[in-house]
Amino acid sequence: MNSWPSDYNQAWTLAGEVERRGVALHSGATTAVRLQPSQRPGYWVGWLQEPALPLVNLHPSQVRASQLCTALQLDAKRLATVEHLLAALAGTGVSQAEILVEGEEIPLLDGSALPWVEAIAEAGLAPVPGAVVSPVLESPITLQQGSSFVTALPADSLHVGAAIEFRDQAIGRQLFSLALTPETFVEQIAPARTFGLRSQVDQLRAAGLIQGGGLDNALVCDGDRWLNPPLRFSDEPVRHKILDMIGDLALLGLPRAQVFAYRGSHGLHTALAAALAGLPSSTSGCLA
């Protein structure tokens, strides 16, 4: 695509189909996703191996696990690590699409949302009549878990921000925020890759996690250095936290709000999406 939508006010779907295959982060299995147009609002998941099963509309109430990824229970099926793909769809302005999956986990690809953005650009976007429905905040919402919190404030346009603190000197304290549009998402957030700590790798793998993780699809921090530089941004970790937050909020749809997370997590992000799901919806506002 030569250009992306200017904001998140207009409803968009894909103009064609596109498919990607790759290794899943936690299971290590090779899985696939086919993205295709939808005439229904929201994101609808179906199964490439069982095309007769009805598609399921994604919603925050389907979250069943949030340790190192967001996993959903979709009727009898489980689908994990949905956040990067959903961030790419919502971030580029695609408000409705069908997601057909082979396997139980979305491929990690390079660990960022950029390969999904490239896939969406390959398929192209098509406008859908009508405006995007978004939750309306009349008062702030703040959720806290220990020293971590996420907050959403009423606003006329969409702003997102995050702060993180790590003892590892290569990460340290980072803060980033921006007015989110499809263009700023693609340029400033989508390329940011997932990251982890070398000190935790063996423990996580022993627990059956990150079986498909490697230096080609995740940044690995070892104290005061990165095992696989260079970084795409000097503050790539905090930008990836924003990417994750966008993907988790996409289970409902991007709110018209200022959203900020301090030491955020998938658990906090999806809890905020669930809280937003209980609010009235409106098509009256424009997301900038």
Side-chain angles (χ1 to χ4, degrees), residues 168-222:
D168 301 76
Q169 294 179 12
I171 304 175
R173 294 178 178 175
Q174 298 184 9
L175 169 68
F176 190 74
S177 65
L178 77 166
L180 196 69
T181 67
E183 184 176 357
T184 61
F185 172 80
V186 170
E187 294 179 354
Q188 302 294 324
I189 300 299
R193 293 162 292 176
T194 193
F195 66 98
L197 306 180
R198 174 64 187 89
S199 60
Q200 297 178 351
V201 168
D202 293 341
Q203 177 184 357
L204 292 171
R205 285 190 169 157
L209 299 170
I210 65 168
Q211 303 301 307
L215 297 179
D216 59 338
N217 58 23
L219 290 169
V220 180
C221 177
D222 187 11

Side-chain angles (χ1 to χ4, degrees), residues 1 36 87 92 107-108 164 172 189 225 235 258:
M1 289 184 61
Q36 58 190 36
T92 57
L108 184 61
I164 58 175
I189 300 299
R225 68 188 184 101
D235 54 0
Q258 294 188 54

Side-chain angles (χ1 to χ4, degrees), residues 34 36 45-55 77 100-101:
R34 180 186 300 157
Q36 58 190 36
V45 170
W47 309 95
L48 288 169
Q49 314 99 305
E50 300 178 73
L53 290 179
L55 273 64
K77 299 281 192 177
L100 304 183
V101 182

Side-chain angles (χ1 to χ4, degrees), residues 27-46:
S27 68
T30 297
T31 61
V33 169
R34 180 186 300 157
L35 302 176
Q36 58 190 36
S38 174
Q39 295 307 307
R40 296 180 289 182
Y43 307 123
W44 297 79
V45 170

Side-chain angles (χ1 to χ4, degrees), residues 84 108-116 190-194 232 240 243:
H84 299 171
L108 184 61
L109 304 181
D110 78 344
S112 77
L114 188 57
W116 294 116
R193 293 162 292 176
T194 193
R232 294 175 177 172
H240 186 80
L243 189 161

